Amino acid sequence: MLIPSYLAANTTDSEALARALHRASRADKPAVVVDLSLVDTLNNDVIELLLAYAFVLRAQSRQLILCHTPQASRHRFQRLDPGSQPLLVASVLDAMQEIEFLASQAD
């Protein structure tokens, strides 16, 4: 689980998130959860990065789950076709329930 405290518009923040997502995606887990509760907005670079990791994880039969997604970004994700969207949930508890559900389907 990743909990970014802020995501400003500068490159350093996007690079830090990219490194964190890369490390999380290498773990042998069914999903990578990103809790955005401490973030007010997501810039375009961050949104594109999250979409790229959603694609990579989906290709591995895994899931990117975003919790507490800022409203404007949530609308942007929801406008995409369902195959391109990360899973958007309201809370970390909902994310854990989704992971349990995915694990039960795999059995």
Side-chain angles (χ1 to χ4, degrees), residues 4 6-19 43 46 49:
Y6 67 94
L7 294 171
N10 70 48
T11 306
T12 306
D13 295 327
S14 294
E15 289 174 1
L17 179 61
R19 284 192 307 274
N43 67 42
V46 170
L49 181 62

Side-chain angles (χ1 to χ4, degrees), residues 25 49-63:
S25 69
L49 181 62
L50 292 169
L51 289 172
Y53 270 90
F55 177 80
V56 167
L57 291 168
R58 185 167 284 117
Q60 300 171 358
S61 299
R62 298 165 64 206
Q63 187 77 38

Side-chain angles (χ1 to χ4, degrees), residues 36 42 46-48 50-51 66 69-70 72-81 84-86 88:
L36 298 167
L42 299 177
V46 170
I47 290 172
E48 293 300 322
L50 292 169
L51 289 172
L66 305 180
T69 308
S73 302
R74 188 174 330 133
H75 289 302
R76 182 164 173 196
F77 288 125
Q78 290 171 333
R79 285 195 307 255
L80 299 170
D81 65 282
S84 299
Q85 296 174 8
L88 305 177

